[in-house]
Structures are given as C-alpha cells and as structure tokens.
Amino acid sequence: MSQPPTTRPDAPTAPRAVVTGASTGIGAATVRALRAAGYAVVATARREDRLAQLAAETGAEYVVADLTRDADVAALVHAVAAGGRLDALVNNAGGARGADRVESASVSDWEEMFRINVSSTLRVTQALLPHLRADGGGDILLLTSTAAHGTYPGGAGYVAAKHAERVIGNTLRLELNGEPIRVIEIAPGMVRTEEFALNRLGDPARAAAVYDGVTNPLLAEDVADAITWTLTRPRHVNIDSLTIRPVAQASNTQVARGVGL
C-alpha cells in the first residue's frame, strides 16, 4: 500500500510528476496509480489518441512528444514549466527491438534501442533537472529492467541499452549527492503488456509465446504500484534500486512454465 504523497514542508499543493511513455503499458498504469495516490500528472508519449483517452479517464495533463527529438523535448519542458512546479520525473519510455545473437543482430535495432532507452532518458532528465532544482528538489526515477543487471542469449542489444540507462541513474546519484533529489531505479523482470513483446518480435504468435506456460507474469499495474511506493516514501528514504519479478521467474533465463505460481 502506498502512503499519501510526501511533499516538501513548503509545498502548497499536490505533488506533480511527469511520466514518459505514458500511452500504454507500464506508463499508462503509472499515470493511473499516481493520480490515485494524489499526484498531478503530466503524461507524455507520441500517440495523441491514447493520451487524450488516458487524460479523460484520469484527469492527467498530457503533452504529445517524441522524446528522441530535441524540439519535442523542449516543447514538453515548456508545457511542464508553464503548469507549475515539478516534483518527480518517471523515465518510463523505452523498449526492445529484436532478439538476435550478436553475430547476426541488426545494427539499426541496436541504434533504435539506444535512442529510445538511453538518449531520450538523457535528454528529458537534463531538460527537467533544473526545474526539479528550482522547485526545491524531487525525484528522478528510471524504469530499467532486470536486463540492466544481467545478460542472456539474444538480448545483448537490449541489455546494453538498459545497462547504459541504469548507469545514468547510478552516476547521477553520485553527482547529485548533497542535493534534495532522489534517484530511483525500478528493474522489472517478465511483465505482460499489450505491446512490449510485440514491438520487440514483430509477430503476435512469437510475442504470445514469450509468456507460454507462465500463469502469473507481472502486470503493468504491479510495476506501477512499485513505482508509486518508491515515490511516496518519506523524503529521507531513497530506494536506490528495486528488482521486481514474478514468482515463476528466477533469473533472466530461468522461468518455471506449466506451474501454477
């Protein structure tokens, strides 16, 4: 269970968060969870139809943006600054492309994964950090993956990208030490969402096979709950890194299938 949002002693209104990659999956679930926990939320993604539907459902603000484009990031920052103070940035946007061995992997897939997982996180974090500072501090959360902590066959590109994203957070925590800014990593394992495996593999049958025999993979709502929990800890508590997996998953490569866990 999450506590009520923690705010700075001088904060006059509800805390406010930006959630990237908010049009689907973990991002959309996080918008819902933070709104339920009392946050004002700015949701951002590329698909306006989905953002508009989410905003109508939750009361969140939204900004349409492709975070691999500097101009779109600048527009997002302008909209966030115009709307008031900022207390949290949830860097959720990202994804995987392909599952090939290193010897046959697509260079363009690797480049795309670095754009959507690493460069976009860097752009948004750099752009919004001054606003967190100006408003007295806050939280920078990075949604990485258990892939950031260990590799597996066919995963080198995604592992490399998520490890790089994790290193952004680990380094930032050192560089910001002494400032009232928390840096948090959430590293989920197997999460069943409508698009992650499909975007990675490009085929509905192959995407569905990822979860074959796994009775209870994590859901987007499970990860959103963990995100909300970390953000609502007392201000002196920093959850440096939280790994979350389904009970059926012991590691990136070992998953119990056909067992009712």
Side-chain angles (χ1 to χ4, degrees):
M1 293 292 292
S2 296
Q3 295 180 347
T6 57
T7 58
R8 301 182 303 275
D10 61 340
T13 58
R16 188 163 175 255
V18 170
V19 179
T20 71
S23 62
T24 189
I26 293 170
T30 299
V31 172
R32 295 185 183 102
L34 289 177
R35 288 291 295 140
Y39 275 76
V41 177
V42 180
T44 187
R46 291 175 296 176
R47 291 178 287 186
E48 184 169 11
D49 57 338
R50 288 180 174 245
L51 288 176
Q53 183 178 359
L54 184 64
E57 173 194 340
T58 64
E61 306 169 64
Y62 73 88
V63 177
V64 179
D66 178 346
L67 302 181
T68 67
R69 296 169 52 90
D70 289 336
D72 283 20
V73 173
L76 169 65
V77 172
H78 178 76
V80 171
R85 79 173 203 274
L86 180 64
D87 297 273
L89 166 61
V90 178
N91 284 299
N92 165 76
R97 299 290 185 270
D100 299 318
R101 292 162 57 97
V102 170
E103 62 185 304
S104 56
S106 162
V107 172
S108 63
D109 280 349
W110 279 52
E111 290 173 340
E112 173 68 5
M113 284 187 280
F114 271 79
R115 280 194 297 271
I116 63 178
N117 292 285
V118 185
S119 299
S120 64
T121 293
L122 179 61
R123 280 187 175 91
V124 176
T125 301
Q126 286 179 333
L128 288 177
L129 178 56
H131 297 275
L132 289 169
R133 281 181 169 139
D135 292 326
D139 302 323
I140 298 170
L141 187 146
L142 299 95
L143 197 290
T144 64
S145 167
T146 54
H149 297 253
T151 196
Y152 55 93
Y158 184 57
V159 167
K162 283 302 184 183
H163 181 74
E165 187 178 11
R166 181 184 181 219
V167 168
I168 291 174
N170 287 350
T171 306
L172 195 59
R173 193 179 297 114
L174 298 174
E175 293 173 347
L176 298 180
N177 183 238
E179 298 188 44
I181 296 175
R182 303 188 296 190
V183 181
I184 300 162
E185 178 200 15
I186 304 289
M190 178 181 283
V191 185
R192 184 166 199 160
T193 62
E194 62 179 315
E195 293 187 334
F196 178 84
L198 182 60
N199 287 340
R200 181 174 199 172
L201 302 173
D203 176 75
R206 290 182 68 199
V210 170
Y211 310 99
D212 278 353
V214 181
T215 306
N216 292 305
L218 295 179
L219 301 177
E221 290 76 14
D222 298 318
V223 183
D225 182 60
I227 290 170
T228 304
W229 180 79
T230 63
L231 295 178
T232 55
R233 295 310 83 208
R235 291 302 309 168
H236 69 285
V237 177
N238 194 102
I239 307 301
D240 284 17
S241 182
L242 189 157
T243 299
I244 174 172
R245 290 188 175 103
V247 174
Q249 184 180 28
S251 73
N252 287 339
T253 56
Q254 185 170 334
V255 181
R257 300 179 187 272
V259 181
L261 296 176

